[in-house]
Amino acid sequence: MNTRKIKVIKFIVCVIFIFNSIILIADANVKKTYEAYIGGRLVGYTDDKKEFKQIYGEINNEINQRLGIDLVQDKKVKFKVNKDNIDKSSEKSIKKNIKKAINDEVNAKEININDKNYGIVLNEDEAKDVLKDFIIQNVNKFNINLDSTIDTEIKGDIKYLDVKVPVSKINDIDEIVNNMVNDKNIKVKVKVKEEKEVTIEPKTKIKRDDSMYIGKITVKEGEKGSKKVNSEVTYCNGKKINENIISEYVLKEPKDRIEYRGSKTPIGAKVTFLKYPTRGRYITSKFGSRWGRKHNGIDIAGNTGDPVTAAFNGIIKEAGVVSGYGNMIKIKHENGLETLYGHLSSIKVKKGQKIKEGEVIGAVGSTGRSTGPHLHFELRSNGVPINPEAYIKK
């Protein structure tokens, strides 16, 4: 073989060596993804065998610790190179699939409330832990102070049913608790101690003042007080349903609001204190002698249905049909004063009803002994009719 051929062969060998080296280096820099199998079952994809085995070991330990016995044994783990470039599985997905691959059956407890299954745990202690955690989360959800809690109660029929299921059917405690917290059908009663400062509103005292005419009022405002209140409060799903006050301590005494009411009669002094009882202000018949008889009031012109209002604050003494007056209302005021409203087309109040000046009590009409629609209006003092014109505000 001549020298030239030898050089060509050496060159080709060098090129092949360099090319293979490049491929090996590139392959080394690409992280492989593996298919992970447990007991022949594909549970996910990983790029770290050691990490996968660690997760698998942690799940086994967790289940065995919850069981209290070494029931779950390590199953054979196998890895195959993933040739389809499938992405690495999430840790959550791997854990879920590992549990599905563990087929060992165990005796467990189903948490059943009001005939609804809320999850399966390994034993009754775990079931009780679920309910404790649920109550704590429920209390926190409604911003109730856990330190002040006296008593808690889940309302309903709570049962722990015996079941035999594969390990994969066992639920995480946190998962069950979260499902229960979001279920509005579960009612939780919580009794707590509460201490709060409460405002004491001032009382109103009524005092008569004979220097002022009736209808006049002056007020001396009071001052609010405060007290410390200790109570036991019961909530159901965050809504207050009962409060039992244990003790109260006054921090600041309130000062009464005093309302001075005039008690001086305006009769004789001719002080105006009555409001016009209807919008018509034209008087068609005055107080005094009329057609050989005494007219005990005044007649005010109006149309049928016009509103009739109370001329002064008082209490309805009579409301009904009275001979001559037709539909009639009589209002009792202070100091023996009364006002009377006759010939009404309708009555809108009842006997014993409190009424304020300006409130509608009936409507203008022509019932009883009447020649046309109008309001017959009277003012009486201790039963004696008085001319109301001098006492009506203009």
Side-chain angles (χ1 to χ4, degrees):
M1 188 178 295
N2 59 37
T3 304
R4 181 178 174 80
K5 285 185 177 180
I6 292 171
K7 286 182 179 180
V8 171
I9 292 169
K10 284 182 178 181
F11 175 76
I12 293 170
V13 170
C14 286
V15 170
I16 292 170
F17 177 77
I18 292 169
F19 181 74
N20 287 336
S21 296
I22 291 170
I23 291 173
L24 288 171
I25 292 168
D27 192 48
N29 289 331
V30 176
K31 206 164 189 178
K32 292 181 179 178
T33 303
Y34 300 95
E35 299 171 359
Y37 293 84
I38 295 177
R41 178 173 179 164
L42 177 64
V43 295
Y45 300 88
T46 183
D47 58 8
D48 190 328
K49 296 178 181 180
K50 184 177 179 181
E51 181 185 61
F52 180 88
K53 288 180 178 179
Q54 183 178 341
I55 293 171
Y56 177 49
E58 288 173 356
I59 291 174
N60 274 354
N61 288 337
E62 176 194 331
I63 294 171
N64 285 328
Q65 284 176 7
R66 287 178 68 182
L67 285 168
I69 56 174
D70 193 19
L71 173 69
V72 181
Q73 304 295 326
D74 285 346
K75 297 183 183 294
K76 192 171 183 180
V77 180
K78 287 185 178 181
F79 298 98
K80 291 182 182 178
V81 175
N82 170 28
K83 296 179 180 180
D84 298 324
N85 296 320
I86 297 176
D87 291 337
K88 174 184 175 181
S89 303
S90 68
E91 184 175 329
K92 183 179 179 181
S93 173
I94 289 173
K95 285 183 175 180
K96 184 178 179 181
N97 289 332
I98 288 175
K99 286 183 179 179
K100 286 182 179 178
I102 301 173
N103 295 318
D104 305 75
E105 283 199 340
V106 292
N107 292 318
K109 294 287 183 181
E110 175 190 306
I111 300 174
N112 188 288
I113 303 175
N114 297 329
D115 296 325
K116 181 177 178 179
N117 175 17
Y118 283 92
I120 298 173
V121 291
L122 291 169
N123 51 56
E124 192 166 319
D125 287 338
E126 282 196 356
K128 289 178 179 178
D129 287 340
V130 166
L131 299 189
K132 285 178 185 176
D133 289 351
F134 164 64
I135 287 173
I136 291 170
Q137 284 206 33
N138 186 277
V139 168
N140 291 335
K141 178 181 178 180
F142 295 109
N143 298 317
I144 298 171
N145 185 357
L146 191 60
D147 293 336
S148 64
T149 300
I150 302 170
D151 188 29
T152 57
E153 176 191 356
I154 299 174
K155 292 184 68 64
D157 183 19
I158 301 172
K159 292 178 283 192
Y160 306 132
L161 304 179
D162 292 323
V163 291
K164 191 164 187 175
V165 294
V167 170
S168 59
K169 296 292 184 182
I170 303 297
N171 300 113
D172 290 332
I173 289 176
D174 290 344
E175 178 186 357
I176 301 173
V177 172
N178 289 334
N179 289 338
M180 291 174 65
V181 168
N182 295 321
D183 189 339
K184 295 179 181 178
N185 293 317
I186 306 180
K187 307 295 183 184
V188 181
K189 285 177 66 176
V190 182
K191 185 185 286 186
V192 297
K193 274 186 179 179
E194 285 190 2
E195 182 181 89
K196 57 189 175 183
E197 190 171 318
V198 178
T199 298
I200 307 174
E201 295 292 336
K203 294 179 181 178
T204 295
K205 286 188 174 180
I206 308 296
K207 289 191 176 182
R208 299 291 175 183
D209 188 333
D210 60 8
S211 69
M212 296 190 301
Y213 290 105
I214 60 170
K216 297 293 183 182
I217 297 175
T218 59
V219 175
K220 181 182 178 182
E221 294 296 344
E223 290 183 14
K224 293 179 180 180
S226 62
K227 60 184 177 181
K228 189 83 75 176
V229 178
N230 292 299
S231 57
E232 290 182 356
V233 183
T234 302
Y235 295 91
C236 184
N237 283 18
K239 184 179 180 180
K240 184 188 288 188
I241 59 172
N242 185 52
E243 181 173 8
N244 182 28
I245 295 174
I246 305 302
S247 64
E248 294 182 340
Y249 174 71
V250 176
L251 301 172
K252 179 186 175 184
E253 292 284 357
K255 291 185 179 179
D256 291 335
R257 174 182 181 273
I258 301 175
E259 192 174 286
Y260 296 96
R261 294 186 178 180
S263 57
K264 188 177 179 181
T265 181
I267 305 302
K270 295 191 176 179
V271 174
T272 57
F273 69 100
L274 298 175
K275 182 178 180 179
Y276 249 104
T278 187
R279 58 191 175 200
R281 290 177 176 243
Y282 179 66
I283 297 174
T284 58
S285 183
K286 292 183 175 288
F287 177 87
S289 295
R290 185 181 69 168
W291 306 326
R293 298 176 62 185
K294 186 178 179 182
H295 188 223
N296 290 330
I298 60 174
D299 291 343
I300 305 171
N303 297 314
T304 299
D306 285 350
V308 174
T309 57
F312 198 60
N313 301 336
I315 297 174
I316 304 298
K317 184 177 179 180
E318 292 181 44
V321 178
V322 177
S323 178
Y325 289 104
N327 290 327
M328 184 272 286
I329 296 171
K330 188 183 287 185
I331 301 178
K332 181 181 178 182
H333 310 290
E334 297 178 62
N335 282 23
L337 297 178
E338 294 176 341
T339 51
L340 183 149
Y341 312 76
H343 307 312
L344 304 173
S345 62
S346 64
I347 294 173
K348 302 184 184 298
V349 290
K350 294 179 180 179
K351 184 178 179 180
Q353 181 179 336
K354 286 186 178 180
I355 205 78
K356 289 184 179 180
E357 177 186 304
E359 285 190 54
V360 175
I361 57 173
V364 170
S366 186
T367 57
R369 195 161 51 245
S370 170
T371 57
H374 69 280
L375 173 67
H376 175 79
F377 179 66
E378 293 184 15
L379 171 64
R380 297 180 181 183
S381 177
N382 296 316
V384 179
I386 296 170
N387 186 357
E389 278 193 79
Y391 302 98
I392 297 177
K393 299 172 188 176
K394 302 301 183 185

